Amino acid sequence: MATEKKLEELFHHTLQDIYYAEKQILKAIPKMAAGAKSPELKKAFEHHKDQTEVHVTRLEDVFKMIGQPAKGVKCDAIEGILKEGEGALEDFGKSISGDAAIIAAAQAVEHYEITRYGTLRRWAKVLGMNDAQVLLEMTLKEEAATDEGLTSLADSYANKQAA
Ligand code: FE
Ligand code: FE
């Protein structure tokens, strides 16, 4: 029989995964902000960069709570999403559909984060880690709000402009 992997280990692994991702996202956001044409979109990215720094700090707090060093593991999913986003920026960045392309790429990132935090906060709950659950839910809310903000920007100008 295969050795049992406990939920604690799964939680720890996924925490390392999102920690790696948040750090990559922190590097990617300024590129997206630089590529954005509208001042509103630029501002949205700058605001979310500040939030992302807090997300990293919260994850470091959760590592402390489980008595593990804050360390990331390479996450192929976020690598792929960010690579695709960079490609979109190259191909469409200077065109009239640039902001629509950047928003779409950024929303893929937020949805990735939403799935990770959504999972982790449920696992934290099952594991009886209430403080960790609260921190993870705070971040989850900010990711969801960011996603909604991007949808509003897409609806208000970017998609029409692109069409
Ligand atoms: Fe985040
Ligand atoms: Fe985010």
Side-chain angles (χ1 to χ4, degrees), residues 21-143:
E22 289 282 19
K23 292 203 151 183
Q24 295 302 112
I25 293 164
L26 211 44
K27 286 189 238 168
I29 292 176
K31 292 183 208 166
M32 294 194 199
K37 281 195 184 63
S38 99
E40 288 83 3
L41 185 55
K42 268 188 205 295
K43 229 175 80 189
F45 280 126
E46 275 151 25
H47 177 59
H48 197 53
K49 184 172 181 283
D50 294 341
Q51 287 183 321
T52 301
E53 277 164 11
V54 178
H55 298 174
V56 169
T57 306
R58 286 189 191 131
L59 290 174
E60 287 166 355
D61 289 342
V62 177
F63 275 109
K64 266 184 217 141
M65 288 172 190
I66 61 168
Q68 295 285 351
K71 205 170 119 286
V73 288
K74 187 172 180 281
C75 167
D76 290 334
I78 196 66
E79 291 276 312
I81 289 168
L82 291 176
K83 207 170 148 194
E84 195 180 83
E86 268 179 35
L89 203 61
E90 270 170 36
D91 294 345
F92 295 97
K94 290 194 169 67
S95 75
I96 191 86
S97 36
D99 279 9
I102 292 170
I103 289 171
Q107 286 193 288
V109 173
E110 295 315 307
H111 280 253
Y112 162 85
E113 293 182 289
I114 288 165
T115 183
R116 288 291 186 259
Y117 283 106
T119 298
L120 280 168
R121 65 109 178 240
R122 282 190 169 76
W123 286 347
K125 184 180 179 168
V126 171
L127 294 167
M129 299 166 52
N130 295 336
D131 293 345
Q133 188 191 343
V134 168
L135 290 180
L136 295 164
E137 280 174 1
M138 282 163 82
T139 299
L140 178 61
K141 274 195 192 125
E142 288 169 5
E143 311 293 17

